[in-house]
Amino acid sequence: MDKKIAVKVDDLTVAYNYKPVLWDIDLEIPEGVLMAIVGPNGAGKSTLIKSILGILNPIAGSVAIYGKPYKKQRQLVAYVPQKGSVDWDFPTTALDVVMMGTYGSLGWIKRPRQKEKKAALEALEKVGMLAFKSRQISQLSGGQQQRIFLARALVQNASIYFMDEPFQGVDATTEIAIINILKELRKAGKTVIVVHHDLQTVPEYFDWVTFLNVKKIATGPVKDIFNDDNLTKTYGINYKVSIQE
Amino acid sequence: MNSAQIEIQLIASLVAIACAIPGTFLVLRKMAMISDAISHSILPGIVIGFFITQDLNSPLLILFAAFTGIITVVLVEYIQKTGLVKEDTAIGLVFPALFSIGVILIAKNANDVHLDVDAVLLGELAFAPFDRLLILGTDVGPKALWIIGVILLITITLLIAFFKELKVSTFDAGLAASLGFSPAIIHYGLMSVASVTTVGAFDAVGAILVVALMIAPAATAYLLTTDLKKMLSLAISFGVLSAISGYWFAHWLDASIAGSITTMLGLLFLLVYLFAPSKGVIAVMYREKQKRTEVSLLTFLLHLKNHNELEERHVNHLREHINWQKVRAKTVLELALKNNMIVVNESIVSLTQKGNTFTSKAIDYIITNEDAQIEDMKDDFFLFRG
Amino acid sequence: MTKMDITEYFQLVFTDYTLRTITLGTAILGAVTGMLGSFAVLRKQSLLGDAISHAALPGIAIAFLITGAKDTNTLLLGALVSGLIGTFWIRGIVKKTHLKSDTALGLILSLFFGFGMLLLTFIQKQPNANQAGLDKYLFGQAATLVESDVWLMAIVTGLCLLVLLLFWKEFKLLLFDADYTKTLGFNTKFIDILITSFIVLAIVLGLQTVGVVLMSAMLLAPAAAARQWTNSLATMVFLAAIFGAFSGVFGTAISASQTNLSTGPVIVLVASVFVFFSFVFSPSRGLLFKQIRLIRNRRDLELHKTLAFMHNIAETHDDISHPHAIKLLNNFQGYTRKTLQKLVEKDYVELQANMWSLTKTGFETAANLYTKQTTEDE
């Protein structure tokens, strides 16, 4: 493969309360892929991206973003946390939340100005939420909240996007809107890494996939490795790609 | 020891027991701060009850004040349900307001109510023996002793009668409901007992000590055992021990008995907090260090198993690639060698037969989420622990 | 302080030195605790303030025992140290043992306070006559505020305001989404310690005026009241400061106009009135308007049901305004005379004797009901 490596994970081991959740993960994510991380509950999917982003401290191993440690490459990375991780009753508006995406590039103390506001409004428009910009965030539906989170990441104007279960608890329209934006990002040469639950949509949405269950089971193009063998290895039971209803 | 001293210690001990029993369940049900709220908000109940009954020791007053305690719980739960504020804020809003009403009522009627604010916070245990209960003209002992004795008797009766229900609903509310014990009845029953106990003990030991006597012995016992019955008896023992030692400490220092009993509770907690065999801070810190090293060891072994390339298994790789500080890398390497898990050959590390078996088993356990098994396995494989 | 009534108080505030000092002090205190309380409430650390203020008591006593002076600043320094020890011990208990945070709070609160009371009673028995005045830290005595105390409060408030303005963006970010803050490269530990230290500082400052027992309410009540009126963090902090300041001033005025009343309980009660009022009457979140909206929605729903039912009947005819017998509606449960009357008022329906007919607007509204419903649900 002649593509550049966007994210390289080396021997990563992470433990919660001294219980290992990720074991010796080696992973290379090439630039420009739209990748799903799949695995059963408790497989360490969220832990993996949180460790890459420096939210959790691994007990061993290292992470490189375009060849350099994360701390030096922060401006290249955007993050969409799980929707449930924040208090949606917080007194703030949709526009305000999206503006937060600009705080990283502003750095300490400096306040956002017109330029930042414009960027935030553009991002809101991209996710189809411009009409809701002044809405208190608790008055948004689950799908709308997720779009706001996506807009906040878009404002960061990064090269690599990490998303933690962006399709959880959202309506069908939002799911399509989000996946279209992600595909657009890929078209623009960005790398998108998504923690994903719904196995059925993997072949339709993604072109790259990583199977994870404490250890890395497999990683590569969906068309090559998304098969019964890897699914069985990951989920333990006999899994078939074509799950019958 | 004169009889007054004996009586004071007896009252203090009974209060300690009466508090420890509901306290244990409050701590287990994560409702410790509710007892703090109740202890403050019964004050207006006591004052208004006094206006009605004109007798601080009247059973009617106790019931009336305990009712204020229940109202507090209901009010807190109502505010939580409205979703206007976060849960703990509701507690923090209700009890200061009610307590303030109580303090103001006392201040405005200072001449009529023989209560002062210091007594509210600290109680007047030292004077308890002077208020005697006379039945048909015969002195049968201090009133406070009778009051707390009756409350304790009721508490113990309820505890024995409903032990099973309390236990199930505390550890598994869902199961309790499916067995047909209404969680609401048990919840409000416990709150009622806590309120009645608080009011009964309030006169003797004051608002803050009631909270201390409910929470501290139970929390201390919780650090020593996980068995409910043992926890109850330990909590009771700690309460009584602090009550008696606290009395003598206050006697020697010539200071507040309530304050002194609390201080004893605090010292006891501090001792257990530091030195408890498995849950104490020192034990926890020691175990964390051990676990950290052992997890590192496992990581290291797994890495060896995963990689056949010589470069990945070079001694220096530990430092460079796995990204550990030098000290830990050295400890881990030594521990692995001591346990015959690895051999080092010209700076290339390889797993031994034993190391290989150990690692394979560990992986299986982790992936099937049976981490607990690893601990047992460690006993089989390790000659030396981390 | 002698007895006077409230109007007298407000006349005197501008002329009397003591009154002015006290009023200024409680106003500043209310403002700063209201401001910082907003953060405590939003961080779900509402009861931490209660624990910290109780934990400060032994510090005051020990500072007195060591220095023998009753200089406010020394005593408050003791309170600060002991409050911080309490805070960190709570964190230690939660982190290192299986005890839950509310148990840790209750433990530290009652144990520190009991120990403090032991020391206070011990001090009271000492021959040293200097001790009088430590009692005021229980319920607060605004009357004992002097100009230097007010200056101290003003300086801390100014400092707090400066930090708030400088790090506003960072505070907001951390409060809303701590993990995200970390990924953007901000040092979350630093921001966290900054907020917590200012909260502890504000609590300690308030001990002399409001007292350890009730100080936590000063932190929570103005913030909880302010939250109901706005959906913007900045406005909330601003409103909380205003509510806090007013509680301070009114509380002081009332307690000064009565004999025998500690300031603390009165200020807390005034603040509680603000909370009650806000909970009930806030237009967007308040219970009263929520209830009204609920009733109105229910009525609208009934109206829509009837209209939809009529629409179904009308659809069977080519002429939508074809009259139908009112009797037809009686089989339908949502129907009452009143709803029919309402529909006529809205010009959706025309009545003639015992017959009704849909108007054009009525028919269109009914047809739109379904599509509108589905888009709203989304």
Side-chain angles (χ1 to χ4, degrees):
Chain A
M1 189 140 335
D2 52 349
K3 270 187 172 174
K4 269 202 278 182
I5 299 300
V7 182
K8 188 169 188 300
V9 176
D10 243 337
D11 304 331
L12 189 76
T13 298
V14 186
Y16 266 136
N17 289 323
Y18 308 99
K19 254 198 223 161
V21 265
L22 284 180
W23 269 117
D24 209 41
I25 307 285
D26 288 307
L27 185 63
E28 286 183 357
I29 305 171
E31 185 178 49
V33 298
L34 176 47
M35 185 182 95
I37 302 177
V38 297
N41 284 331
K45 302 183 294 287
S46 297
T47 310
L48 177 60
I49 63 174
K50 281 186 182 169
S51 311
I52 294 175
L53 293 164
I55 298 170
L56 294 173
N57 289 326
I59 53 171
S62 60
V63 173
I65 307 285
Y66 285 112
K68 285 185 199 152
Y70 175 72
K71 274 188 181 163
K72 292 191 178 151
Q73 304 281 55
R74 227 167 233 141
Q75 70 286 356
L76 297 180
V77 175
Y79 172 47
V80 179
Q82 270 185 35
K83 195 158 55 69
S85 66
V86 302
D87 169 19
W88 286 98
D89 194 35
F90 193 81
T92 191
T93 59
L95 177 62
D96 243 5
V97 173
V98 178
M99 294 267 272
M100 288 176 185
T102 66
Y103 288 6
S105 57
L106 283 169
W108 287 93
I109 295 174
K110 240 168 99 184
R111 291 294 187 84
R113 300 188 181 281
Q114 279 309 312
K115 192 182 117 203
E116 281 75 23
K117 193 173 170 187
K118 217 180 116 213
L121 289 172
E122 275 167 17
L124 272 171
E125 177 149 40
K126 215 176 278 176
V127 299
M129 289 289 294
L130 195 56
F132 296 87
K133 67 177 161 74
S134 320
R135 195 67 88 80
Q136 146 73 19
I137 51 172
S138 68
Q139 289 157 7
L140 298 170
S141 73
Q144 291 169 332
Q145 290 174 344
Q146 191 65 59
R147 292 187 200 202
I148 294 297
F149 259 15
L150 180 61
R152 183 174 72 171
L154 291 177
V155 165
Q156 287 182 259
N157 202 10
S159 311
I160 309 172
Y161 292 82
F162 289 91
M163 310 199 174
D164 207 341
E165 307 213 4
F167 303 118
Q168 201 176 44
V170 307
D171 50 290
T173 338
T174 301
E175 181 156 340
I176 294 164
I178 291 178
I179 197 65
N180 284 339
I181 290 171
L182 299 191
K183 284 180 175 165
E184 247 174 64
L185 285 172
R186 177 183 53 190
K187 220 182 269 169
K190 318 267 185 180
T191 312
V192 183
I193 296 141
V194 179
V195 171
H196 194 58
H197 246 316
D198 184 8
L199 289 172
Q200 274 160 308
T201 51
V202 171
E204 183 190 336
Y205 291 172
F206 301 95
D207 59 4
W208 210 264
V209 65
T210 294
F211 290 95
L212 191 73
N213 188 2
V214 185
K215 292 198 303 174
K216 181 191 76 185
I217 313 288
T219 184
V222 170
K223 60 179 182 343
D224 298 344
I225 68 157
F226 194 73
N227 52 37
D228 294 354
D229 185 33
N230 279 328
L231 283 166
T232 308
K233 270 194 212 157
T234 311
Y235 288 86
I237 356 158
N238 271 327
Y239 246 89
K240 295 268 183 285
V241 176
S242 47
I243 307 156
Q244 266 99 40
E245 289 292 317
Chain B
M1 244 196 284
N2 59 36
S3 71
Q5 286 177 324
I6 293 173
E7 278 169 4
I8 292 175
Q9 291 175 65
L10 202 57
I11 295 170
S13 305
L14 290 188
V15 170
I17 300 171
C19 287
I21 294 171
T24 303
F25 291 100
L26 289 176
V27 165
L28 285 174
R29 298 171 142 228
K30 296 163 208 142
M31 301 197 313
M33 285 309 276
I34 281 280
S35 75
D36 183 46
I38 291 177
S39 77
H40 282 83
S41 54
I42 53 168
L43 187 62
I46 290 178
V47 182
I48 296 170
F50 180 78
F51 290 150
I52 301 169
T53 62
Q54 294 296 321
D55 175 10
L56 266 182
N57 288 321
S58 138
L60 200 67
L61 178 134
I62 291 180
L63 285 180
F64 190 78
F67 186 64
T68 338
I70 306 290
I71 290 180
T72 313
V73 177
V74 173
L75 204 58
V76 166
E77 282 166 4
Y78 174 73
I79 295 179
Q80 286 174 351
K81 235 181 257 158
T82 63
L84 292 174
V85 287
K86 298 282 166 313
E87 286 158 27
D88 56 341
T89 313
I91 299 180
L93 288 174
V94 171
F95 80 82
L98 288 168
F99 189 68
S100 300
I101 294 175
V103 173
I104 290 170
L105 280 177
I106 292 178
K108 294 311 293 173
N109 302 285
N111 299 331
D112 309 324
V113 191
H114 301 287
L115 262 176
D116 70 73
V117 171
D118 276 5
V120 166
L121 292 172
L122 279 179
E124 286 170 325
L125 199 49
F127 302 126
F130 302 119
D131 191 7
R132 315 296 295 186
L133 181 67
L134 300 174
I135 296 178
L136 303 172
T138 342
D139 176 3
V140 289
K143 266 188 191 167
L145 190 62
W146 281 95
I147 292 172
I148 200 66
V150 170
I151 292 173
L152 180 58
L153 207 65
I154 297 171
T155 308
I156 290 176
T157 314
L158 287 173
L159 176 72
I160 293 170
F162 297 105
F163 187 76
K164 187 179 71 218
E165 285 80 357
L166 268 168
K167 186 173 172 177
V168 175
S169 75
T170 301
F171 293 105
D172 189 345
L175 178 65
S178 70
L179 290 178
F181 313 142
S182 155
I185 290 181
I186 293 172
H187 174 72
Y188 286 106
L190 185 62
M191 290 295 118
S192 310
V193 171
S195 297
V196 172
T197 310
T198 308
V199 184
F202 183 82
D203 189 32
V205 296
I208 304 296
L209 180 56
V210 175
V211 182
L213 275 174
M214 284 206 181
I215 304 175
T220 314
Y222 190 60
L223 293 180
L224 291 170
T225 178
T226 46
D227 180 278
L228 179 59
K229 278 185 186 155
K230 271 189 202 150
M231 189 176 158
L232 271 169
S233 51
L234 272 177
I236 290 171
S237 323
F238 290 145
V240 173
L241 182 69
S242 312
I244 292 173
S245 60
Y247 170 75
W248 289 107
F249 185 57
H251 184 73
W252 171 72
L253 209 63
D254 191 17
S256 150
I257 301 174
S260 165
I261 293 177
T262 318
T263 307
M264 286 300 148
L265 285 170
L267 287 177
L268 208 59
F269 175 74
L270 182 63
L271 276 181
V272 173
Y273 172 70
L274 290 178
F275 302 113
S278 74
K279 293 184 192 166
V281 168
I282 293 174
V284 166
M285 270 162 43
Y286 175 75
R287 211 171 39 241
E288 277 181 0
K289 190 178 157 275
Q290 187 185 39
K291 278 194 174 169
R292 201 156 39 222
T293 319
E294 288 176 1
V295 162
S296 304
L297 174 69
L298 261 171
T299 314
F300 172 52
L301 295 178
L302 200 88
H303 182 76
L304 291 177
K305 196 174 157 59
N306 267 357
H307 295 278
N308 286 319
E309 315 90 294
L310 288 187
E311 162 213 356
E312 289 272 347
R313 283 163 40 205
H314 196 272
V315 173
N316 287 340
H317 174 79
L318 258 174
R319 278 205 282 277
E320 289 160 16
H321 230 164
I322 305 193
N323 208 9
W324 293 339
Q325 304 111 321
K326 280 181 189 171
V327 184
R328 210 190 319 162
K330 203 167 152 245
T331 329
V332 169
L333 202 64
E334 273 166 12
L335 185 67
L337 277 171
K338 266 200 293 193
N339 280 313
N340 299 329
M341 300 280 192
I342 53 165
V343 282
V344 183
N345 222 334
E346 288 172 10
S347 291
I348 301 296
V349 192
S350 319
L351 283 179
T352 61
Q353 188 60 41
K354 182 185 167 195
N356 201 5
T357 328
F358 175 78
T359 318
S360 309
K361 275 194 167 177
I363 298 171
D364 281 351
Y365 286 139
I366 291 159
I367 290 179
T368 49
N369 265 326
E370 291 178 63
D371 303 85
Q373 303 266 20
I374 294 181
E375 287 304 314
D376 298 340
M377 198 173 64
K378 279 181 186 167
D379 291 336
D380 296 340
F381 279 83
F382 282 5
L383 305 167
F384 304 92
R385 299 297 295 256
Chain C
M1 190 147 305
T2 50
K3 220 176 155 137
M4 59 180 145
D5 62 38
I6 293 187
T7 45
E8 228 177 301
Y9 166 86
F10 281 106
Q11 281 158 10
L12 276 173
V13 154
F14 299 100
T15 51
D16 185 272
Y17 166 81
T18 323
L19 267 189
R20 202 172 51 217
T21 311
I22 298 168
T23 308
L24 216 58
T26 47
I28 293 175
L29 178 74
V32 71
T33 50
M35 247 160 29
L36 290 165
S38 308
F39 293 113
V41 166
L42 290 174
R43 304 188 76 190
K44 290 166 207 147
Q45 291 185 332
S46 294
L47 295 173
L48 186 65
D50 198 28
I52 294 172
S53 62
H54 281 73
L57 189 64
I60 294 173
I62 291 173
F64 177 78
L65 281 173
I66 293 174
T67 63
K70 55 172 194 169
D71 160 53
T72 318
N73 295 349
T74 321
L75 297 182
L76 290 188
L77 195 66
L80 187 66
V81 172
S82 129
L84 283 173
I85 292 175
T87 315
F88 285 111
W89 199 2
I90 290 170
R91 286 192 177 188
I93 291 174
V94 175
K95 219 167 151 190
K96 292 286 176 202
T97 73
H98 293 270
L99 293 170
K100 297 291 171 297
S101 70
D102 70 310
T103 308
L105 288 169
L107 259 176
I108 296 305
L109 177 156
S110 58
L111 295 180
F112 272 60
F113 186 77
F115 180 53
M117 287 307 278
L118 174 78
L119 294 175
L120 279 195
T121 51
F122 174 73
I123 290 168
Q124 270 161 4
K125 301 266 165 64
Q126 301 295 300
N128 184 349
N130 216 2
Q131 24 74 12
L134 287 192
D135 270 9
K136 73 179 177 213
Y137 289 102
L138 288 180
F139 293 108
Q141 210 40 276
T144 60
L145 284 176
V146 292
E147 208 181 306
S148 66
D149 297 333
V150 177
W151 271 114
L152 184 69
M153 283 181 191
I155 290 167
V156 172
T157 307
L159 205 68
C160 172
L161 216 58
L162 188 74
V163 169
L164 222 59
L165 285 175
L166 276 180
F167 296 104
W168 179 257
K169 172 179 104 231
E170 286 78 8
F171 284 166
K172 182 153 104 181
L173 194 59
L174 182 76
L175 286 177
F176 179 62
D177 194 344
D179 276 356
Y180 187 69
T181 313
K182 238 182 187 173
T183 68
L184 292 184
F186 293 102
N187 184 343
T188 48
K189 247 187 204 143
F190 171 75
I191 310 174
D192 178 46
I193 288 176
L194 205 61
I195 299 181
T196 311
S197 335
F198 269 99
I199 291 178
V200 176
L201 202 60
I203 289 171
V204 168
L205 270 184
L207 294 182
Q208 193 185 358
T209 319
V210 184
V212 298
V213 183
L214 294 167
M215 191 52 216
S216 69
M218 280 303 286
L219 221 52
L220 299 189
R227 175 68 189 90
Q228 313 311 323
W229 298 97
T230 173
N231 281 324
S232 134
L233 181 63
T235 320
M236 173 177 168
V237 171
F238 180 72
L239 273 181
I242 301 276
F243 288 161
F246 271 106
S247 308
V249 173
F250 285 138
T252 312
I254 295 169
S255 87
S257 59
Q258 310 271 330
T259 46
N260 237 343
L261 261 191
S262 298
T263 342
V266 186
I267 294 182
V268 168
L269 268 190
V270 175
S272 302
V273 171
F274 274 111
V275 173
F276 177 78
F277 189 80
S278 307
F279 276 11
V280 177
F281 296 109
S282 142
S284 61
R285 294 164 67 100
L287 299 174
L288 183 67
F289 289 94
K290 222 181 246 171
Q291 198 61 40
I292 293 174
R293 266 199 301 276
L294 202 71
I295 293 168
R296 195 185 297 152
N297 279 347
R298 205 177 293 151
R299 212 186 297 139
D300 278 358
L301 201 68
E302 262 166 28
L303 223 59
H304 288 166
K305 265 194 201 155
T306 312
L307 195 62
F309 185 71
M310 291 169 150
H311 178 252
N312 279 346
I313 299 172
E315 253 184 344
T316 56
H317 277 262
D318 290 337
D319 172 22
I320 49 161
S321 296
H322 184 87
H324 299 271
I326 291 184
K327 256 196 260 167
L328 260 179
L329 295 174
N330 288 346
N331 301 329
F332 172 63
Q333 289 194 326
Y335 159 78
T336 56
R337 280 257 157 220
K338 233 167 104 191
T339 47
L340 196 60
Q341 204 54 50
K342 275 259 157 61
L343 287 171
V344 172
E345 274 168 33
K346 288 199 171 185
D347 220 11
Y348 291 164
V349 173
E350 276 170 6
L351 277 188
Q352 259 168 358
N354 281 335
M355 307 294 270
W356 60 266
S357 58
L358 271 181
T359 62
K360 199 160 180 284
T361 37
F363 187 82
E364 274 162 12
T365 320
N368 278 334
L369 272 180
Y370 290 109
T371 41
K372 208 171 127 201
Q373 211 92 37
T374 40
T375 41
E376 263 176 8
D377 282 348
E378 187 236 316

